[in-house]
Amino acid sequence: MTTQTAERTADVRPGAARPTAVFTGIGVTAPNGLGTEAWWRATLAGESGIRPVSRFDATGYPARLAGEVPGFDAAEHIPSRLLPQTDHMTRLALTAAKEALEDSGADPAELPEYSAGVVTAASAGGFEFGQRELQALCAKGGQHVSAYQSYAWFYAVNTGQISIRHKLRGPSGVLVTEQAGGLDAVAQARRQLRKGSRLIVTGGVDGAICPWGWTAQLAGGRMSTVADPARAFLPFDTRAAGYVAGEGGAILVLEDAAAARERGARVYGHLAGYAATFDPAPGRGGEPGLGRCAGLALNEAGLTPADVDVVFADASGVPELDRQEAAALGALFGPRGVPVTAPKTMTGRLSAGGASLDLAAALLSLRDQVVPPTVNVTDPVEADGLDLVTQARRGPLRTALVLARGTGGFNAAAVVTAEDNPPAATA
């Protein structure tokens, strides 16, 4: 497994030939839609999935809203033998991975052995499964604890279960950088393609909507306690009061461009650039690293800020963090210099699943030439100077920048370009 431990942009020797990585499959489990097209229709229509928590009784907690995946019956999507082994989060990930592979048209059985792998992002692992087994241990004794507890809670479990189910025996790993992980995992997948792999299943699906996971998130002090779903999560708004937690995310199929062309695959877009930076340690001063991260990703893609048609913002909902992000965008693009959107206002923040869902939204925006809206933000902070998209807006769109920040100072940025506007062959 892999964890991110150092700032970097690309890990290829100067002058070395680098294959272009392309996205050929998307699978989604999101609070406002189960399945890619259902989620995308709801997203373009501005339909929110934030509602009162239903997965447990949250009436005794200060935060009582969540983004929960609707209509998900695991037995309809997961083989029965896997149900006793898996947390709810992993069942969502397996569902998204199956959809992504089917969408890509790739058959892992037809690929050379060890040429296809899995790299996902995680934040905590199967909290709900772990809580249940800890309760069994305390109430009934160790003989009542499931043997599957040994890995069902583990943050690498989604990678392992996807790999086993689809016989993806190539390079695999997991990135643990919270919300930034959805982009970091895709970058790690690209590294494996550059080393000779043909296809990597990647992205992130996360969620811990259970008392144990809820308490852990509340301890961070950034969750919104507003009871009205239309007012609880308002990034870049004067009424912003924190974030709403959610579950779900997106799994993507990333392929070597030559291999994808060889099999006649449909391509959503190219991963043209990526970068990761860290914020200064608390108390040491210095500028946050998000703006530098975005600039580095554009540099790697060989693009300038003027080439970017839309930014998918991290949009934390925490006023100070929103101010920092708006300042970074203003410094890079100028006041109202680029359309900015935050469709996560319809899902909540999905931990390791959030950035990969934004990446899926960026790819579908390029496909359909439309920017999805940011919902419920009706009183934007004027000093931010953002061109915030609050209703679906038509293109033209060729290049999207996706930003993400993880708790602890992680920053990640990815640049995706449309199929008819690929990066240079050496980028």
Side-chain angles (χ1 to χ4, degrees):
M1 77 195 67
T2 307
T3 55
Q4 178 174 311
T5 58
E7 181 175 320
R8 66 219 181 244
T9 54
D11 58 347
V12 178
R13 297 184 306 278
R18 296 182 296 176
T20 302
V22 297
F23 295 95
T24 60
I26 300 174
V28 169
T29 54
N32 60 339
L34 177 58
T36 300
E37 294 304 330
W39 157 74
W40 186 235
R41 284 194 301 271
T43 298
L44 292 180
E47 297 174 4
S48 177
I50 294 176
R51 303 178 182 87
V53 173
S54 67
R55 293 193 59 76
F56 70 98
D57 182 1
T59 55
Y61 295 82
R64 301 170 189 168
L65 300 177
E68 298 176 336
V69 177
F72 180 73
D73 181 351
E76 295 179 0
H77 302 276
I78 307 299
S80 59
R81 64 179 177 79
L82 291 178
L83 294 178
Q85 305 180 28
T86 50
D87 181 79
H88 176 69
M89 168 202 69
T90 300
R91 296 168 182 175
L92 292 174
L94 286 167
T95 301
K98 183 175 184 291
E99 182 187 20
L101 277 167
E102 290 176 349
D103 184 47
S104 75
D107 183 355
E110 296 179 355
L111 297 174
E113 195 168 15
Y114 307 113
S115 69
V118 184
V119 179
T120 68
S123 62
F127 261 39
E128 186 175 3
F129 194 108
Q131 175 178 321
R132 184 175 66 245
E133 299 310 313
L134 285 173
Q135 289 173 327
L137 173 66
C138 294
K140 300 178 182 179
Q143 69 272 26
H144 294 277
V145 175
S146 168
Y148 298 122
Q149 165 68 3
S150 61
Y151 59 81
W153 67 272
F154 192 40
Y155 57 84
V157 66
N158 289 354
T159 287
Q161 290 285 16
I162 293 169
S163 173
I164 292 168
R165 186 181 187 190
H166 298 284
K167 297 181 174 60
L168 302 169
R169 300 171 64 189
S172 296
V174 59
L175 277 293
V176 186
T177 53
E178 211 257 337
Q179 183 89 10
L183 301 185
D184 293 335
V186 170
Q188 178 67 8
R190 185 180 66 168
R191 293 186 186 97
Q192 298 301 343
L193 296 181
R194 288 174 172 174
K195 293 176 182 179
S197 295
R198 293 170 64 97
L199 179 152
I200 303 291
V201 175
T202 187
V205 171
D206 212 344
I209 303 179
C210 63
W212 189 13
W214 212 244
T215 301
Q217 295 214 54
L218 284 167
R222 294 178 175 176
M223 287 184 73
S224 172
T225 58
V226 176
D228 181 356
R231 299 186 62 187
F233 183 29
L234 301 173
F236 308 115
D237 193 288
T238 59
R239 302 162 295 162
Y243 72 89
V244 172
E247 65 181 12
I251 298 296
L252 310 164
V253 174
L254 192 69
E255 287 191 66
D256 170 74
R261 283 194 297 269
E262 182 180 310
R263 68 178 188 84
R266 181 257 293 109
V267 171
Y268 285 103
H270 298 247
L271 179 58
Y274 160 81
T277 62
F278 295 94
D279 290 338
R284 291 194 177 182
E287 290 294 319
L290 185 64
R292 185 172 76 258
C293 186
L296 290 169
L298 287 172
N299 286 342
E300 198 213 1
L303 300 172
T304 70
D307 296 313
V308 176
D309 299 306
V310 61
V311 173
F312 286 77
D314 176 69
S316 75
V318 177
E320 176 59 18
L321 295 178
D322 287 347
R323 185 198 65 77
Q324 292 174 5
E325 183 171 20
L329 292 173
L332 188 62
F333 295 101
R336 299 183 62 84
V338 66
V340 176
T341 189
K344 59 172 59 69
T345 50
M346 291 172 261
T347 64
R349 288 179 71 83
L350 310 184
S351 298
S356 56
L357 190 63
D358 276 348
L359 197 55
L363 292 168
L364 294 178
S365 290
L366 298 180
R367 183 193 72 178
D368 295 345
Q369 294 292 287
V370 58
V371 178
T374 305
V375 303
N376 297 327
V377 176
T378 58
D379 190 17
V381 178
E382 290 187 14
D384 284 350
L386 297 180
D387 177 15
L388 197 64
V389 177
T390 56
Q391 294 183 331
R393 185 184 299 182
R394 288 289 167 184
L397 304 172
R398 295 293 178 267
T399 300
L401 172 66
V402 181
L403 301 178
R405 292 174 291 181
T407 301
F410 300 103
N411 302 291
V415 179
V416 292
T417 56
E419 165 64 355
D420 60 353
N421 184 36
T426 57

